[in-house]
Amino acid sequence: MIEIKSYIKKVLNKENQSLEDLINCLETIKNIGHVAVIKFDGERVQNLYTVFITLSDKKGKMIRVDGDNLKDSLIKSLKEYIKPDNL
């Protein structure tokens, strides 16, 4: 878990993260059994993107971020994910 947290922190600390960097973070989350979803909602006029991460080992705890910018939503969800009470 510490390695994943450190990898995600490293990506988040980069000056300009690419979408690929952020998606790779979701891949590492998936690889430990958590679920990560990006939803593109064409029916909304605001908060067009939803990113959520379900922590399978935390009895259904979920991190959810809605926003109009996909990159910002990914960053916010990953920052929440690496908080000590989530890992």
Side-chain angles (χ1 to χ4, degrees), residues 25-67:
C25 288
L26 295 182
E27 285 284 338
T28 63
I29 290 169
K30 173 201 61 123
N31 289 339
I32 62 165
H34 295 169
V35 176
V37 175
I38 302 170
K39 178 183 170 198
F40 298 78
D41 197 333
E43 292 184 2
R44 294 185 195 168
V45 292
Q46 290 183 326
N47 293 327
L48 301 173
Y49 303 100
T50 300
V51 177
F52 69 84
I53 302 168
T54 302
L55 308 170
S56 57
D57 57 345
K58 298 283 185 178
K59 298 190 182 190
K61 182 171 181 180
M62 184 176 77
I63 296 164
R64 177 183 172 141
V65 175
D66 296 300

